Amino acid sequence: MKRFWDRAAAEPAAGGFRVLLDGRPVRLPGGAPLLVEAAPLAEAIATEWALAGGAKGGEMSPADIPLTRLVGTAQERVAPDPAPMVDGLAKYAETDLLCYRAEERRLAAMQAAEWQPLLDWLAMRHRAPLRVTTGLMPVPQDPASLAAVRRAVAALSPLELTALGVLVPGYGSLVLGLAVVEGHVDAAEAHRLATLDESAQEEFWGTDAEAAVRRARIAAEAAQAERLLRLARGQETEPGGGEPEGGA
């Protein structure tokens, strides 16, 4: 679409902060004004609108406003009824990547050293120990552990659930996704752990260009989800912290 505004700015509003384009609020596809609780997040969203398309009349795409898309998902799709997302994400614990170890001893030892501390963290933090197996045959998990994991997911806010909804499918691991959302590891470290097998294979067979592109895309999406959380929690602010402006 073509950019139709000159200036983008964040301002306080009832219940939080909104983003204005030439004085008019950004609205989500359903028609409601976009509204966030944290000023740093509102400022960051205003900045991406200020930069999108370069100047009035320029071409922009949804890729230019990733934070807006994530917040819109949280506000319009997750907040009204979180249960479907909670159920879908909690189900990953049944076949979590970190529970499946290679049959080759060198790789299995690497997985145990790198992955087991995250499973130990989950067991201590949420009282949800998960069983580990060798190979790809499914291992049944303790129903009590699965219920504990679901409670942990259900306790998250709509924004946190939205971020988790990006992280978990990308990593193939609910454990890694929760660890990022709760600040136990950062997104880059979680991505490294999630791609441990691929990295080990590439040491022997060389880099697969298509797989490398896919990994880079997942890493970028995970970093954006983590940034959403940091901004919403006030752990990161826009440079300068002032009113973002667009246009020439």
Side-chain angles (χ1 to χ4, degrees):
M1 64 182 253
K2 285 189 180 294
R3 173 170 172 156
F4 57 84
W5 63 93
D6 285 312
R7 299 175 64 255
E11 72 164 21
F17 298 84
R18 61 181 183 171
V19 175
L20 305 179
L21 304 180
D22 290 342
R24 294 187 293 272
V26 171
R27 293 186 179 275
L28 300 174
L34 180 146
L35 187 68
V36 297
E37 294 182 0
L41 179 55
E43 290 163 1
I45 292 171
T47 295
E48 65 182 17
W49 282 93
L51 297 175
K56 191 171 184 177
E59 296 287 341
M60 67 163 290
S61 75
D64 296 326
I65 49 170
L67 291 171
T68 303
R69 292 160 57 201
L70 289 171
V71 169
T73 296
Q75 186 175 327
E76 285 201 329
R77 297 175 55 190
V78 179
D81 183 13
M85 179 165 277
V86 169
D87 290 340
L89 292 173
K91 196 169 181 62
Y92 274 82
E94 298 176 12
T95 56
D96 198 280
L97 169 72
L98 305 194
C99 295
Y100 291 82
R101 309 291 167 81
E103 295 180 350
E104 194 273 313
R105 283 192 290 179
R106 176 178 172 275
L107 180 54
M110 189 185 306
Q111 291 169 334
E114 297 272 24
W115 290 353
Q116 191 58 45
L118 272 297
L119 292 176
D120 293 343
W121 166 81
L122 184 78
M124 293 184 64
R125 174 75 175 84
H126 294 293
R127 298 186 179 182
L130 297 181
R131 297 170 180 144
V132 173
T133 189
T134 300
L136 299 177
M137 291 300 293
V139 58
Q141 298 294 347
D142 184 349
S145 292
L146 296 178
V149 168
R150 191 190 184 285
R151 286 194 297 272
V153 175
L156 299 177
S157 71
L159 272 181
E160 291 169 333
L161 276 174
T162 300
L164 193 67
V166 174
L167 298 169
V168 172
Y171 297 148
S173 169
L174 177 60
V175 179
L176 289 176
L178 272 177
V180 172
V181 170
E182 297 189 16
H184 184 66
V185 298
D186 63 26
E189 174 65 2
H191 183 262
R192 184 189 71 81
L193 293 169
T195 57
L196 197 67
D197 292 9
E198 293 181 47
S199 298
Q201 292 296 326
E202 287 183 350
E203 287 183 15
F204 291 95
W205 304 106
T207 301
D208 181 313
E210 186 175 332
V213 169
R214 177 183 56 81
R215 287 198 301 271
R217 174 183 57 78
I218 291 171
E221 291 173 350
Q224 196 64 251
E226 181 181 43
R227 183 170 182 242
L228 172 76
L229 295 174
R230 292 182 60 80
L231 288 164
R233 294 165 178 170
Q235 297 169 336
E236 180 178 329
T237 58
E238 280 297 282
E243 177 185 288
E245 293 189 4

